[in-house]
Amino acid sequence: MSRECATPMQVQYVNFGNNNLLSSIPKLAAGLQLLDMSSNGLSKLSYKLLPHSLQVLRLGNNKLAGTFPDVSMLLANLTVLDLSYNLLTGSLPVELPGKLAVLNVTHNNMSGPLPAAWHVPLAEARLGSNKFEGKLPPSWSEYGKSTSNSLQLSMLDTEIRGPMPRPWVQQFCLAIIRNSSTQLLFSPRTITIPVEVYKTSNWHWGLQ
């Protein structure tokens, strides 16, 4: 594949998925909003070369190694970031792109506590099959307040433990009333679920 890819300003979606991209990508012009490079053999990627206009970036099922990429400033317009099924290590970043709504880092080798300082409108966070540990940050109960989308949080197969913080109970119960698609997924015997939440029929429990 040529390293040059003429991407007119009106082109908003480019799919390089299921190809044989290993460590380089074609040059992309500004204006691109969605880039799918999932299911390749990418072992590294220079995020500085990606268009700042990107809103959706899918990099799942590659061989990306190292720590979580520093995209909070480089790709400030991201709303969806999929880094699942890679070889990432280290902890989650303290800062995320300010518009990020969907984050997927499942099936990596990441570890450490969950950042309490995130201030983004996350509606979906998929963090399962990593080595995260510690307790649930009470501040995360703020997620989903600014969106009418379903609130989904998946941490299956992690070491997150402890009781559900009271702000979580209050916020997630409100989310249940607002949207019956609310999901909260944890590994069994790690999180103490309050009775008033456990008995709520609208919850979808994903306990493996």
Side-chain angles (χ1 to χ4, degrees):
M1 180 182 290
S2 171
R3 292 180 61 86
E4 295 292 326
C5 181
T7 309
M9 290 295 291
Q10 64 268 23
V11 174
Q12 298 181 346
Y13 170 65
V14 173
N15 188 348
F16 290 135
N18 292 286
N19 280 287
N20 194 31
L21 297 176
L22 299 177
S23 60
S24 62
I25 61 172
K27 183 179 179 180
L28 301 167
L32 192 65
Q33 294 184 10
L34 191 155
L35 177 60
D36 190 338
M37 294 190 292
S38 56
S39 300
N40 281 286
L42 287 172
S43 58
K44 60 181 179 179
L45 179 66
S46 177
Y47 295 86
K48 295 180 180 180
L49 300 180
L50 298 179
H52 293 219
S53 56
L54 274 182
Q55 297 179 17
V56 178
L57 179 57
R58 302 191 185 280
L59 296 170
N61 197 24
N62 278 288
K63 298 179 180 179
L64 295 171
T67 57
F68 192 99
D70 184 10
V71 294
S72 60
M73 297 298 293
L74 292 175
L75 301 174
N77 292 311
L78 277 185
T79 60
V80 176
L81 178 58
D82 184 358
L83 294 166
S84 60
Y85 290 91
N86 277 287
L87 305 172
L88 297 177
T89 57
S91 59
L92 290 167
V94 175
E95 293 186 53
L96 291 174
K99 300 178 181 179
L100 195 67
V102 177
L103 173 65
N104 188 347
V105 295
T106 57
H107 295 276
N108 279 279
N109 294 311
M110 301 185 69
S111 59
L114 303 179
W118 281 359
H119 297 288
V120 294
L122 276 179
E124 180 178 337
R126 299 188 176 275
L127 312 176
S129 298
N130 281 284
K131 300 176 182 178
F132 298 124
E133 57 188 4
K135 297 183 179 181
L136 303 172
S139 59
W140 281 29
S141 64
E142 297 295 314
Y143 297 159
K145 279 189 174 181
S146 61
T147 177
S148 59
N149 297 330
S150 60
L151 184 59
Q152 300 186 41
L153 178 61
S154 174
M155 289 187 286
L156 293 172
D157 193 19
T158 67
E159 294 299 320
I160 301 299
R161 299 179 180 275
M164 181 183 290
R166 182 56 52 180
W168 281 55
V169 177
Q170 297 169 348
Q171 177 57 22
F172 283 127
C173 283
L174 288 175
I176 291 170
I177 295 173
R178 184 179 60 198
N179 192 317
S180 61
S181 298
T182 298
Q183 296 185 26
L184 180 63
L185 309 179
F186 294 111
S187 296
R189 298 179 297 280
T190 60
I191 304 297
T192 303
I193 308 297
V195 174
E196 63 266 38
V197 174
Y198 188 79
K199 290 184 177 180
T200 304
S201 60
N202 284 341
W203 280 96
H204 303 284
W205 299 104
L207 303 181
Q208 292 184 336

